[in-house]
Amino acid sequence: MKTNLITLQTIFLLLISTTLIKAQVSDPISWGFKANKIDGNKYEIVFSATIDQGWHLYSMSQLEEGPQALAFTFKQTPEIKLVGKVKEVAKATTEFDNIFKLNVSFFQKSATYSQEVELVNADSAKVIGNIEYQACYSGTCTYLDNDFSVNVGGKETVQIASTEPQKVDAQSEKPVDEKEGSSLWVFFFIAFAAGLAGLLTPCVFPMIPMTVSFFMNKQGNRFNAILNASFFGLSIIAIYTSIGLLVSLTNVGANFASEITSHWITNLIFFILFIVFAASFFGLFEIVLPGNLANKTDSKADKGGFIGSFFMALTTVIVSLSCVGPIVGALLVEAASGLGAKPIIGMFGFSLAFSIPFTLFAIFPSLLKSLPRSGGWMNSIKVVLGFIILAFSLKFLMIIDDTYHWGLLGRDVYLTLWISIFTLLGFYLLGKIKFKNDSEFKHLGFFRLILAILSFAFVFYLIPGLIGAPLKSISGLLPPQASHSFDLMTMINKTKTVSGVTADDKSSLCETPKYADFLHLPYGLEGYFDYNQALACARAQKKPLFIDFVGHSCSNCKEMESKVWSDPRVLEKLRNEYVIVALYIDEHYELPENEWITSKVDGKVKKTIGKQNADFEVSHFNINGQPYYVLVDEKEQTLAEPRGYNLDIEAFVKFLDNGIKAYNK
């Protein structure tokens, strides 16, 4: 049982530490389509939009000077005749918008549209087309489109969702059923797993029988005990979820995610906190929260009833923070980098898992007999947690180092530290290392051996990264490839022959790029970091411009570079067919005063490279997500539908090809 618990705890923590990295804007609109027969050869095509919480989908009647109005395009076929125009089934809400500074018409939660069609000299046919639209949330906007194909006629079956071509998310080109909603579900289960992991920590596990005893002894009868224990569980959920709600409500600016995930103060605080927690878990000292705070809440818990249950829950939360603080903190950092309900969902998932055992054991106290006793195994969990927290703390220091160009924590140094940490973890699991509060190690259990093997296997996986191996599966957790002191992969790419000319002999630059002394592109690619300079070069070379909205703290950007840009076909097209400009939205380098600009979006003065690039992305493309890729011509006209985070290499190659074809036309 003890080794099983250690196994579960470690798996949960590894899952959390390697998956809390996604942060970009995706399609918040899910579409469904169906065909209803009216009479004879006439049919009604119904388009149903489900809108994520907090997002606005703009009406077809929206004025041109505001956000993009929703628009339908139908493919002309001889079998289908359109009867009239697309109609909005419900009336849109019209309100003044502070971002666009005018009245806008939009839908929330859902919207429905209909188009009447008539079959011409055919028993069945397909209605094929495309929907273009814009959706916004708290100043963050995204342009999107979806293809649709609906069968009419034939067996008169109602057609739900599109078939050929498959309806896709314009950002990720994944089926709609697999996009934003599923990502929130994934985050919910990660948070739920984190809550289960938190239960096994020494601050929480011993409290389960104590808390259950409180309800059984002080609440009069068993019915009252069950009622108050249930309220106790709900109170824990309410307390943690309110924290998530607070984070969600503070997400009011288009650049909030960038600020909180890249600012040195935020990352330094979390780095120090994680180091302190790791030291505590290794036994250097014990973290004790202010006694007065816990005592005051605990004294009020003695009142009994619902009030007592609430304060008992508050006491549990306060005491548990000594151990679950890093888990909650990691969840909140990840949630804050998302949008909408993500912080709420994260804290709800965590607290739900956290509260269930307390409530169940209070309702069925006989189950307490199945719980293992507190003992040395709990300290082993603390130590394993300490190693993982120590490794994860480096992520915050990495962001500071990368964003402010300290040059202290390059990729090779970072990997060396990780190799050392996980090697020591493996030796600890084998019993070769002991800490202050460890009990006597008598024998090596099977599950502990498996965990040690996994730890050493991970170390061997990391070692090739010291000479430049991309380590694609964890690229989002590592410093950028360009920060490596000795990068064999980049050296190979620089000398690799492309179209009969080596990359070293064929420069794509018109002049020395601004900021190239501290900003770099991966794989030896040449490009710019200033939009105007890059656009001028694209016009001079008569090439399309590849705009890469990227961030130092953007894990998805690193994943894209590691898993997609590294493909030889992508590298060849970027190197030879495009002029590249990487616009860092979290670059804190302050420009000379004569280069400051005043934003037309929020009226604020933008002094840094990052703030100007972020403002450029929002003002020109109405989106604030990274990575975000845009292809434009010399007239700054978009050549292909912009793309966000998506690891489909074939789709990215097609995206680049479409841009070249459109430019050549």
Side-chain angles (χ1 to χ4, degrees), residues 254-508:
N255 297 318
F256 175 84
S258 171
E259 290 296 327
I260 195 171
T261 57
S262 67
H263 201 283
W264 71 269
I265 295 178
T266 308
N267 285 281
L268 183 61
I269 289 174
F270 274 99
F271 171 71
I272 294 173
L273 283 176
F274 274 46
I275 292 295
V276 170
F277 272 105
S280 173
F281 290 172
F282 289 145
L284 185 62
F285 53 82
E286 183 177 355
I287 296 177
V288 180
L289 293 174
N292 291 337
L293 183 61
N295 291 336
K296 286 180 180 179
T297 56
D298 191 42
S299 63
K300 293 184 178 180
D302 291 333
K303 294 181 178 180
F306 289 154
I307 295 178
S309 298
F310 173 80
F311 280 102
M312 188 66 183
L314 185 58
T315 302
T316 303
V317 170
I318 292 172
V319 174
S320 68
L321 285 175
S322 296
C323 284
V324 303
I327 301 175
V328 174
L331 283 171
L332 285 176
V333 169
E334 163 57 13
S337 65
L339 292 172
K342 196 172 183 181
I344 302 172
I345 289 173
M347 287 297 95
F348 174 75
F350 177 86
S351 59
L352 179 63
F354 195 79
S355 63
I356 284 176
F358 288 96
T359 306
L360 285 180
F361 284 122
I363 296 174
F364 305 105
S366 60
L367 294 176
L368 284 172
K369 297 178 182 179
S370 63
L371 284 179
R373 294 182 179 179
S374 301
W377 65 271
M378 299 194 74
N379 191 69
S380 296
I381 287 179
K382 282 186 69 174
V383 173
V384 171
L385 180 62
F387 277 111
I388 295 174
I389 288 173
L390 185 61
F392 197 71
S393 69
L394 294 176
K395 174 181 178 289
F396 303 107
L397 189 60
M398 170 193 73
I399 293 174
I400 301 175
D401 183 77
D402 195 24
T403 304
Y404 293 90
H405 314 293
W406 291 354
L408 301 177
L409 198 62
R411 192 182 179 94
D412 44 356
V413 176
Y414 191 94
L415 286 172
T416 301
L417 292 172
W418 265 36
I419 289 171
S420 302
I421 291 171
F422 285 99
T423 299
L424 291 174
L425 173 58
F427 282 124
Y428 173 78
L429 291 167
L430 291 175
K432 302 301 181 181
I433 300 174
K434 293 188 68 174
F435 286 85
K436 178 180 178 181
N437 298 320
D438 280 331
S439 57
E440 184 180 353
F441 189 83
K442 295 182 180 180
H443 64 275
L444 181 64
F446 174 75
F447 289 106
R448 192 158 182 158
L449 174 62
I450 293 298
L451 289 176
I453 292 173
L454 291 175
S455 184
F456 285 122
F458 184 58
V459 168
F460 283 113
Y461 172 75
L462 294 176
I463 289 175
L466 293 175
I467 59 171
L471 305 180
K472 295 182 180 181
S473 62
I474 58 169
S475 55
L477 292 169
L478 304 177
Q481 197 90 16
S483 67
H484 208 297
S485 299
F486 176 71
D487 191 342
L488 186 60
M489 299 299 294
T490 296
M491 293 174 63
I492 293 173
N493 279 312
K494 279 187 175 181
T495 57
K496 184 176 180 180
T497 300
V498 180
S499 301
V501 183
T502 63
D504 284 339
D505 294 333
K506 184 179 180 180
S507 175
S508 60

Side-chain angles (χ1 to χ4, degrees), residues 629-649:
Y629 307 109
V630 185
L631 308 178
V632 300
D633 60 17
E634 66 274 5
K635 296 180 180 179
E636 302 181 78
Q637 299 297 311
T638 303
L639 298 172
E641 183 67 30
R643 290 180 60 83
Y645 172 79
N646 185 300
L647 301 179
D648 187 339
I649 297 174

